[in-house]
């Protein structure tokens, strides 16, 4: 005899535990669906509103003056690419360098703890604050060649936004590299520099690249830091030291204009931006696949 | 026992190693002979791996690890200020407990060490020679461009040994090189060690006493004892002699108990 009631082995859906199980599974499924719903709706809506406007002319021409039809967002696409590239050129070396320092040289000291904490705080700083900060530091002081708004200032603002992501992913990726690999390299007489540059960093490459691509994708879509720094321009980019157009600021400016043509361009721009960010995310996933091999 | 005895490769003088404030092993005196295989045996936590790693300054890579006493290699203090640990590790190679090939091709795994050490010569030939010495050539000669990770555990460990001997060190340290391997791979590595000891000094840590008997000429038995200064345990070298002596007529009772399996 046991002290428990033994039931039949057949599944009985009417039992309270089985009903609860079903109910909670459905609830969890429903909330999951709700969580991805915004993504699907946003992409579908932007596809619907902007997708039909995509033509070669749109991708290659300048926006029309207010009141006229036609034109394109070529300068904004180019501008976004330039500003994001500037940001990446600043944030990737600094961020990867900081990540290497944290993971390889100072993993436990007070300074490393302080930097890690600071990185987390920086990740939480609202992007508009980054914009105002760079405005105060570079734009209003006319730091570069007595120019105020410039593509370079925009790139710096985006770089500040990208930094925490790049530092954190590098730090985490390097910490995941097995210690034995470092010992192995040291064991055949590699110096610290050779160990890091030839063994540890390549082993963590795909994770770091994934983080960098995600950071770039995030920065490419930012508006607030660019409003105060890169401003906008209805013309083609004129070097790094002049105001430059970008897709996010174009959307911000054009979506509220009382002209049909400009509103259509804002939709088209949204579409191009979403597709670019989507592609960057796919690229990141593709890069991430190499980490297992 | 003068420190300048011609056959001594390593001379340890009153070596104590601590992790932070915790003393792992203390008071080790030993002379490891050149051109022979020396085995370290003992229960877990007795500090044998710690002592092994001190022989090529691998302990430098472990945070908070400090060493007192002197470790002489060719009568030169390895821990003196003017010694470059990178140079030490080029002359004293190491094979680790877990096979740790680089995430590179088999060829590159071996060529890496040679390249960073400024090897001038025929790299292909060096790779082949190293793989032959490690008894891995026949299995890998057709797939040198394949990732080292694609090999089995035993093959990976032999690849790591090939990597270690490719830079032509004077000494090879092995930290339980067979503990993660099956008996057949273990046997292959032991056979290889018999070949290797013709040209290298080998120091091996092992938990397998039969292995110590099979491969080594000298054996050091490390033991753990209660630390008189604190609640912790501390390792020490109990006995160091010819392998035959250790296993057939040990001088210490603890050694006798350990090698006959009556330990604890």
């Amino acid at each position: 005899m046991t002290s428990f009631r033994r039931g039949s082995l057949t599944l009985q859906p009417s039992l309270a535990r089985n009903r609860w199980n079903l109910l909670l599974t459905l609830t969890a499924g429903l909330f999951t669906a709700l969580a991805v719903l915004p993504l699907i709706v946003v992409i579908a809506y932007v596809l619907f509103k902007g997708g039909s406007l995509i033509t070669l002319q749109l991708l290659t021409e300048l926006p029309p003056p207010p009141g006229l039809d036609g034109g394109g967002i070529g300068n904004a696409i180019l501008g976004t690419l330039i500003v994001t590239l500037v940001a990446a050129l600043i944030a990737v070396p600094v961020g990867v360098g900081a990540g290497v320092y944290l993971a390889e040289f100072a993993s436990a000291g007070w300074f490393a703890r302080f930097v890690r904490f600071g990185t987390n705080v920086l990740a939480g700083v609202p992007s508009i604050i980054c914009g105002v900060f760079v405005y105060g530091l570079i734009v209003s002081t006319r730091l570069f060649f007595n120019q105020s708004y410039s593509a370079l200032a925009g790139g710096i603002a985006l770089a500040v936004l990208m930094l925490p992501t790049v530092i954190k992913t590098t730090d985490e990726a390097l910490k995941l590299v097995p210690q034995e690999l470092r010992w192995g390299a040291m064991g055949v007489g590699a110096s610290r520099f050779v160990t890091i540059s030839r063994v540890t960093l390549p082993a963590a490459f795909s994770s770091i690249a994934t983080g960098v691509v995600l950071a770039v994708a995030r920065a490419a879509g930012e508006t607030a830091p660019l409003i105060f720094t890169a401003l906008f321009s209805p013309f083609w980019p004129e070097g790094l030291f002049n105001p430059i157009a970008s897709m996010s600021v174009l959307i911000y400016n054009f979506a509220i204009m009382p002209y049909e043509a400009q509103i259509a361009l804002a939709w088209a721009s949204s579409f191009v931006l979403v597709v670019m960010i989507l592609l960057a995310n796919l690229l990141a996933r593709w890069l991430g696949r190499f980490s297992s091999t | 026992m003068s420190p300048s005895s011609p056959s001594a490769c390593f001379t340890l003088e009153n070596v104590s190693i601590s992790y932070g404030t915790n003393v792992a092993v203390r008071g080790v005196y030993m002379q490891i002979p050149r051109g022979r295989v020396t085995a370290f045996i003992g229960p877990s936590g007795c500090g044998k791996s710690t002592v092994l790693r001190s022989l090529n300054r691998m302990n430098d890579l472990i945070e908070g690890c400090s060493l007192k006493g002197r470790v002489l290699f060719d009568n030169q203090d390895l821990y003196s200020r003017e010694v470059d640990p990178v140079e030490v590790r080029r002359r004293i190679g190491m094979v680790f407990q877990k096979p740790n090939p680089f995430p590179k091709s088999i060829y590159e795994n071996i060529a890496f060490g040679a390249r960073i050490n400024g090897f001038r010569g025929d790299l292909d030939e060096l790779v082949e020679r190293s793989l032959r010495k490690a008894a891995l050539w026949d299995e890998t000669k057709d797939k040198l461009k394949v990732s080292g990770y694609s090999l089995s555990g035993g093959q990976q460990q032999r690849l790591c040994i090939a990597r270690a001997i490719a830079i032509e060190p004077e000494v090879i340290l092995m930290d339980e090189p067979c503990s993660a391997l099956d008996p057949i791979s273990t046997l292959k590595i032991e056979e290889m060690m018999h070949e290797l000891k013709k040209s290298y000094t080998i120091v091996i840590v092992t938990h397998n006493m039969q292995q110590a008997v099979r491969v080594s000429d000298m054996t050091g038995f490390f033991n753990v004892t209660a630390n008189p200064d604190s609640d912790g345990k501390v390792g020490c070298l109990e006995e160091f002699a010819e392998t035959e002596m250790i296993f057939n007529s040990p001088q210490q009772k603890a050694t006798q108990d350990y090698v006959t399996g009556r330990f604890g």
Side-chain angles (χ1 to χ4, degrees):
Chain A
M1 273 315 279
T2 80
S3 17
F4 296 98
R5 204 159 41 83
R6 290 262 184 261
S8 123
L9 287 178
T10 324
L11 175 72
Q12 288 178 295
S14 58
L15 278 181
R17 65 159 188 264
N18 291 336
R19 288 183 180 178
W20 274 112
N21 189 13
L22 185 66
L23 180 70
L24 292 176
T25 308
L26 287 176
T27 315
L30 179 69
F31 286 150
T32 312
L34 281 177
V36 294
L37 193 64
L39 172 72
I40 294 169
V41 172
V42 165
I43 291 180
Y45 198 62
V46 169
L47 267 176
F48 170 70
K49 286 285 232 178
S52 58
L53 304 169
I54 299 299
T55 57
L56 188 65
Q57 175 204 356
L58 182 107
L59 298 177
T60 55
E61 286 188 8
L62 290 176
L68 295 185
D69 276 341
I73 54 169
N75 61 338
I77 295 176
L78 191 61
T80 292
L81 291 178
I82 290 173
V83 173
T84 315
L85 185 70
V86 169
L89 285 179
I90 299 167
V92 171
V94 175
V96 170
V100 167
Y101 175 78
L102 287 179
E104 300 283 336
F105 291 94
S107 51
W110 67 267
F111 183 65
R113 278 205 303 275
F114 170 73
V115 172
R116 283 208 182 92
F117 177 72
T119 307
N120 285 333
V121 173
L122 187 61
V125 168
S127 58
I128 195 159
I129 308 281
C130 289
V132 174
F133 160 70
V134 173
Y135 176 83
L137 195 72
I138 295 169
V139 178
S140 67
T141 58
R142 296 176 173 268
L143 196 62
F144 297 124
F145 305 109
N146 210 22
Q147 292 280 10
S148 56
Y149 298 99
S150 68
L152 185 60
I156 291 171
L158 291 188
V160 174
L161 274 179
M162 285 172 64
L163 259 183
T165 321
V166 178
I167 294 175
K168 266 200 278 188
T169 45
T170 307
D171 187 13
E172 300 296 326
L174 288 176
K175 275 196 251 168
L176 286 180
V177 173
Q179 196 61 32
E180 287 83 17
L181 219 52
R182 292 186 186 96
W183 292 348
M186 297 286 206
V188 291
S191 62
R192 207 115 183 236
F193 173 74
V194 170
T195 304
I196 292 170
S197 63
R198 304 272 297 272
V199 175
T200 330
L201 271 180
F205 173 78
S206 69
S207 317
I208 295 173
T210 306
V212 166
V213 171
L214 289 177
V216 166
R218 194 206 149 187
E222 282 291 344
T223 317
L226 295 180
I227 298 174
F228 301 102
T229 52
L231 205 65
F232 189 71
S233 151
F235 312 113
W236 288 103
E238 296 158 350
L240 287 182
F241 301 105
N242 280 307
I244 196 167
S246 59
M247 283 190 275
S248 49
V249 178
L250 182 141
I251 297 167
Y252 173 78
N253 286 343
F254 284 12
I256 50 174
M257 278 191 178
Y259 304 108
E260 282 296 324
Q262 262 72 7
I263 292 174
L265 287 182
W267 277 115
S269 191
S270 313
F271 174 79
V272 174
L273 197 55
V274 166
V275 167
M276 274 173 60
I277 290 170
L278 214 60
L279 286 179
N281 277 275
L282 289 177
L283 175 69
R285 296 206 52 164
W286 182 71
L287 285 170
R289 279 175 47 188
F290 290 102
S291 57
S292 50
T293 52
Chain B
M1 284 229 309
S2 80
S4 56
S5 141
S7 65
C9 181
F10 291 103
T11 306
L12 281 72
E13 290 173 357
N14 197 15
V15 169
S16 300
I17 305 171
S18 325
Y19 296 110
T21 54
N22 186 19
V23 183
V25 60
R26 77 154 81 201
V28 175
Y29 287 89
M30 72 195 312
Q31 285 201 328
I32 297 172
R34 183 179 300 283
R36 309 182 73 183
V37 180
T38 302
F40 291 175
I41 60 169
S44 297
C46 65
K48 54 194 187 303
S49 292
T50 303
V51 171
L52 184 80
R53 281 200 302 267
S54 75
L55 299 182
N56 72 340
R57 296 198 50 174
M58 256 320 163
N59 280 337
D60 292 15
L61 311 180
I62 294 169
E63 209 149 313
C65 187
S66 61
L67 180 139
K68 274 188 233 141
R70 298 213 304 162
V71 180
L72 301 176
F73 172 65
D74 278 349
N75 294 321
Q76 193 176 8
D77 188 348
L78 286 183
Y79 285 81
S80 84
R81 236 169 236 290
E82 59 264 31
V83 166
D84 180 359
V86 171
E87 209 54 54
V88 169
R89 296 183 202 116
R90 289 181 180 184
R91 290 175 60 183
I92 306 169
M94 185 144 194
V95 176
F96 298 86
Q97 184 171 359
K98 248 172 57 187
N100 59 346
F102 300 130
K104 302 172 189 282
S105 71
I106 294 170
Y107 185 95
E108 278 304 316
N109 257 284
I110 294 164
F112 175 78
R115 284 214 189 96
I116 61 170
N117 283 288
F119 176 73
R120 282 183 310 257
D122 188 349
L123 210 51
D124 294 351
E125 196 262 311
L126 176 79
V127 169
E128 178 174 345
R129 181 153 39 95
S130 308
L131 283 172
R132 276 191 196 283
K133 276 192 197 162
L136 194 61
W137 174 249
D138 291 332
E139 290 151 81
T140 55
K141 62 184 172 199
D142 299 322
K143 48 176 185 179
L144 292 175
K145 298 281 170 249
V146 171
S147 164
Y149 283 3
S150 67
L151 299 174
S152 74
Q155 290 173 325
Q156 286 189 11
Q157 192 63 300
R158 275 179 281 148
L159 178 63
C160 293
I161 294 173
R163 178 178 76 186
I165 54 189
I167 58 169
E168 291 166 8
E170 294 163 43
V171 183
I172 302 176
L173 308 176
M174 296 185 172
D175 189 357
E176 296 182 48
C178 302
S179 66
L181 305 183
D182 66 279
I184 296 171
S185 305
T186 304
L187 206 66
K188 280 193 175 162
I189 288 183
E190 286 179 9
E191 281 170 8
M192 191 182 72
M193 283 165 65
H194 282 296
E195 281 302 308
L196 291 179
K197 78 172 177 188
K198 292 172 189 162
S199 23
Y200 304 99
T201 304
I202 297 177
V203 186
I204 177 172
V205 165
T206 178
H207 266 297
N208 181 334
M209 280 182 276
Q210 283 75 40
Q211 183 171 57
V213 174
R214 285 193 298 262
V215 302
S216 72
D217 306 307
M218 300 286 289
T219 297
F221 170 62
F222 287 79
N223 199 2
V224 265
T225 50
N227 189 339
D229 303 334
S230 70
D231 322 326
K233 304 244 180 186
V234 61
C236 61
L237 178 65
E238 194 81 36
E239 193 168 349
F240 182 52
E242 301 271 337
T243 299
E244 215 187 319
M245 281 279 285
I246 292 283
F247 283 92
N248 293 331
S249 49
Q251 303 298 302
Q252 305 285 330
K253 187 167 178 309
T255 316
Q256 170 123 38
D257 286 351
Y258 188 77
V259 298
T260 53
R262 270 189 282 116
F263 196 79

